[in-house]
Amino acid sequence: MLIKLTGGRVYDPAHQIDGKVMDIYVRDGRIIDRPGDNDTIDQEYDLRGKVVMAGAIDMHTHIGGGKVNIARLMLPEDHRSSATTHTAACRAGCGHAAPSTLNTGYRYAEMGYTAGFEPALSPVNARQSHLEMCDIPILDKGGYAMLGSDDYFLRMLAAKKDQNAINDYVAWILHATQAIGIKVVNPGGINAFKFNQRALNLDEENVHYQVTPREVLQALTRAVYELGIAHPLHVHGNNLGVPGNVETTLKTMGAVEGYPVHLTHIQFHSYGTEGDRKFSSGAAAVAEALNKHKNVSADVGQILFGQTVTASGDTMRQYANSGHAHPNKAVLMDIECDSGCGVVPFKYKDKNFVNALQWAIGLEIFLLTEDPWRIFLTTDHPNGAPFTSYPHLIRLLMDKSFRNDMFTKLNLDAQAMSTLTSIEREYSLYEIAIMTRAGAAKLVGLHDRGHLGVGGAADITVYTDNPDREAMFAKPDYVFKDGELVVRDGQVVKVTWGSTHTVKPDFDRSIEKDLKQYFDRYHTMNMENYKVNAAELEDGGRGKVIVQEAKGRREKTA
């Protein structure tokens, strides 16, 4: 089928197209240059006056895995309130902070998103996580496998195994879990919690392995780089949420010794200790460091006010935060030899000093970071806010007067501690397209997504230009997924199934001899059962597995 999208105003930063009026042609799910002289247009859409972008990509969103299901079970009221508010839509399932799989796909697509990536894929639970994500309609998806607190890796570091052996293990994990990247959560800290440590700083040793978070970061950033994985090591740093953790964040940027690294939900890691309450914004220092360190990228993890649930692999910090649960319930789990998780419901309030300042800190980081290719729009769904709040966040970034109006509603002491109203910057449509499309695709390693160039997948979103950017981004006119119209006027009109994206770098298969012995001795799962087969994810016709390129072993460049 040949489709013509006529006369839209195109924003495609991957090809330096900034609001150019042009036609786009789609055949068999791919963007083509232009049809041949004898071709017939099967379907034409008049997009004159409309804004056209690639489908949006959420590069960090908790949409699959044990912690998400725990959150759903813990919050039946979340599903009841959603059902009451969106009765018709709940044919696709319910839930606001922790929506069902079907509801996740519908709500993302209805905002113009066509891909989302689970950032905390526990390797021992990878199969369940993937099968759950395969039940999310429309979206492409993938996961970042969690390492850095697993027993096997920490044993390797403690035994001073060489970097090649570590690289082989990282590559094996990527194959076994069908992941597209590697994530480290509180490096070494999840494991340290198992040995009764309640905090772990960058250069503090895990009491059992005598290994520091710095060593974990250095080994994993180097492994990811040398294996040629597009997405840098995805780092949830030490001391999340702790006043004064801005110093840990700045040291973490330097600890990786120039290797590419991505710092996730950096708002939660940008707190100082100034003022009477010993809690202040470290946003200026963090943004300055991001501007300086070109090897570092970050997503913000913006908080927005209202009820949500925090779900994290960081058992140590979730244990510390469980006393602030709203409603008052929490789950903390240990995962054998592997990782852990904590689920704590939470309600952010604009009249609360800490919450209000967190809101301002995230926006300060967005607005003070100069390069939109290295800062990404996230709420760390659902930890800072549900992903359905993205249109509101975009308006805050694009509309200074609206942002200032929202600021006046904050706790007065928090207002006094923030410089937000002095920042004049407003994001442009081109910059929004970088953060949510071209930049996100480049960071994750999606070579045929996030752009509108010839040969790219026809994931396309069309909006009516509206000065109210929240209204604009909340309800696209059209969303095409792989060339099929799936959303019209902000409502899903067709259900399709997206792909699972993975990466499979080469490695020395002889590592499996030692791994098998380890599994036989310590795990309750057979090593072969630990591995997820691509055919399992494609069974039933719900999408396919796409293997993205890994460039192979390489040396660090200056």
Side-chain angles (χ1 to χ4, degrees):
M1 184 174 184
L2 181 58
I3 300 171
K4 180 181 180 182
L5 308 179
T6 303
R9 186 153 48 91
V10 175
Y11 293 85
D12 183 13
H15 296 96
Q16 296 81 50
I17 298 173
D18 185 2
K20 180 180 178 181
V21 175
M22 56 189 294
D23 300 336
I24 296 173
Y25 296 91
V26 175
R27 174 183 281 141
D28 299 329
R30 293 278 163 178
I31 297 171
I32 64 172
D33 186 10
R34 59 178 52 252
D37 293 338
N38 297 322
D39 286 332
T40 301
I41 303 296
D42 297 298
Q43 180 75 55
E44 182 174 2
Y45 295 85
D46 184 354
L47 304 185
R48 284 173 289 188
K50 307 288 187 183
V51 170
V52 182
M53 298 181 179
I57 298 165
D58 193 344
M59 47 72 62
H60 182 110
T61 175
H62 295 280
I63 54 175
K67 62 191 177 305
V68 180
N69 276 324
I70 292 168
R72 292 175 181 135
L73 289 169
M74 285 179 67
L75 297 171
E77 63 272 24
D78 180 55
H79 292 255
R80 285 197 297 267
S81 62
S82 174
T84 301
T85 307
H86 306 290
T87 303
C90 278
R91 288 175 295 180
C94 298
H96 175 64
S100 68
T101 52
L102 294 178
N103 202 26
T104 296
Y106 273 52
R107 300 294 86 79
Y108 261 120
E110 289 172 348
M111 296 191 305
Y113 277 76
T114 54
F117 289 82
E118 164 57 55
L121 187 75
S122 179
V124 77
N125 194 40
R127 176 174 287 100
Q128 185 274 333
S129 301
H130 274 300
L131 292 176
E132 185 179 341
M133 288 191 285
C134 286
D135 198 47
I136 297 174
I138 302 171
L139 292 188
D140 282 7
K141 66 281 293 182
Y144 314 141
M146 286 203 302
L147 291 179
S149 277
D150 54 304
D151 178 64
Y152 188 86
F153 171 75
L154 291 173
R155 285 171 183 264
M156 294 183 82
L157 280 190
K160 307 298 182 185
K161 294 286 186 178
D162 67 26
Q163 187 65 42
N164 285 336
I166 291 171
N167 293 1
D168 287 333
Y169 176 59
V170 170
W172 183 87
I173 284 288
L174 287 165
H175 281 253
T177 63
Q178 299 288 338
I180 195 171
I182 296 294
K183 166 83 171 289
V184 59
V185 174
N186 189 357
I190 305 172
N191 181 280
F193 184 78
K194 300 179 184 187
F195 294 96
N196 209 34
Q197 286 180 267
R198 293 296 178 257
L200 192 68
N201 291 313
L202 188 63
D203 292 301
E204 182 180 357
E205 287 187 345
N206 178 304
V207 294
H208 184 72
Y209 301 90
Q210 287 77 54
V211 169
T212 68
R214 183 184 294 269
E215 293 173 294
V216 172
L217 289 169
Q218 289 174 346
L220 289 177
T221 51
R222 182 177 172 186
V224 168
Y225 181 84
E226 291 182 358
L227 290 169
I229 301 164
H231 186 35
L233 180 67
H234 199 92
V235 177
H236 163 144
N238 302 98
N239 296 324
L240 177 143
V242 177
N245 65 10
V246 61
E247 297 302 324
T248 304
T249 301
L250 298 176
K251 289 178 182 177
T252 298
M253 292 186 192
V256 299
E257 300 179 335
Y259 285 105
V261 67
H262 179 84
L263 302 183
T264 192
H265 42 63
I266 201 167
Q267 177 275 135
F268 289 107
H269 303 268
S270 300
Y271 304 153
T273 56
E274 297 176 4
D276 294 340
R277 305 198 192 196
K278 304 301 180 184
F279 184 79
S280 60
S281 173
V286 167
E288 181 181 7
L290 282 171
N291 294 334
K292 176 183 176 182
H293 293 286
K294 306 302 182 185
N295 62 308
V296 181
S297 59
D299 62 85
V300 172
Q302 178 69 34
I303 77 115
L304 296 164
F305 303 117
Q307 180 66 53
T308 191
V309 58
T310 63
S312 172
D314 194 346
T315 327
M316 178 184 284
R317 297 313 313 156
Q318 289 294 74
Y319 171 78
N321 294 332
S322 59
H324 303 291
H326 180 93
N328 186 22
K329 47 188 171 182
V331 170
L332 301 168
M333 287 186 62
D334 177 40
I335 301 173
E336 62 166 70
C337 302
D338 191 273
S339 56
C341 79
V343 182
V344 181
F346 196 84
K347 187 173 185 177
Y348 294 101
K349 302 175 183 178
D350 57 1
K351 301 305 181 186
N352 176 283
F353 169 76
V354 171
N355 297 166
L357 195 52
Q358 288 177 302
W359 179 90
I361 289 168
L363 293 174
E364 289 169 0
I365 294 171
F366 270 121
L367 298 165
L368 293 173
T369 302
E370 296 168 355
D371 185 0
W373 289 91
R374 292 190 294 112
I375 194 77
F376 298 91
L377 189 142
T378 66
T379 58
D380 186 21
H381 164 80
N383 292 287
F387 65 80
T388 47
S389 60
Y390 284 170
H392 178 73
L393 175 54
I394 290 172
R395 186 179 181 188
L396 288 169
L397 297 176
M398 298 189 72
D399 187 338
K400 175 177 167 56
S401 62
F402 176 71
R403 187 166 69 232
N404 287 350
D405 288 344
M406 295 299 101
F407 185 84
T408 63
K409 300 177 181 180
L410 299 183
N411 173 283
L412 293 178
D413 290 340
Q415 290 185 42
M417 295 290 290
S418 174
T419 61
L420 184 61
T421 55
S422 68
I423 304 174
E424 297 295 327
R425 182 179 179 185
E426 294 179 320
Y427 270 73
S428 67
L429 285 172
Y430 188 76
E431 289 174 317
I432 294 296
I434 293 172
M435 280 202 305
T436 61
R437 274 88 171 168
K442 181 180 178 182
L443 184 80
V444 176
L446 307 178
H447 305 293
D448 63 345
R449 316 278 153 162
H451 68 85
L452 299 173
V454 173
D459 294 354
I460 304 169
T461 302
V462 179
Y463 302 97
T464 294
D465 200 355
N466 186 336
D468 181 343
R469 298 307 192 188
E470 183 171 352
M472 173 180 168
F473 281 95
K475 188 178 179 181
D477 297 72
Y478 304 108
V479 180
F480 297 87
K481 181 73 186 80
D482 293 315
E484 294 190 73
L485 181 66
V486 294
V487 171
R488 184 194 297 270
D489 295 329
Q491 296 290 319
V492 169
V493 294
K494 183 174 183 179
V495 173
T496 64
W497 299 99
S499 300
T500 298
H501 294 267
T502 71
V503 65
K504 297 185 181 300
D506 293 333
F507 67 98
D508 185 346
R509 302 275 174 170
S510 67
I511 191 178
E512 290 200 332
K513 180 179 179 181
D514 186 66
L515 276 165
K516 185 179 186 307
Q517 293 175 351
Y518 176 83
F519 270 80
D520 290 345
R521 182 172 183 182
Y522 295 108
H523 269 277
T524 57
M525 180 185 292
N526 181 282
M527 187 183 77
E528 292 303 317
N529 291 340
Y530 186 92
K531 299 176 184 177
V532 180
N533 190 293
E536 297 177 68
L537 310 186
E538 296 175 334
D539 186 39
R542 294 196 171 188
K544 60 183 179 179
V545 173
I546 297 177
V547 181
Q548 297 289 350
E549 178 187 13
K551 296 179 181 178
R553 296 178 187 263
R554 52 189 172 147
E555 296 300 320
K556 180 185 173 187
T557 57

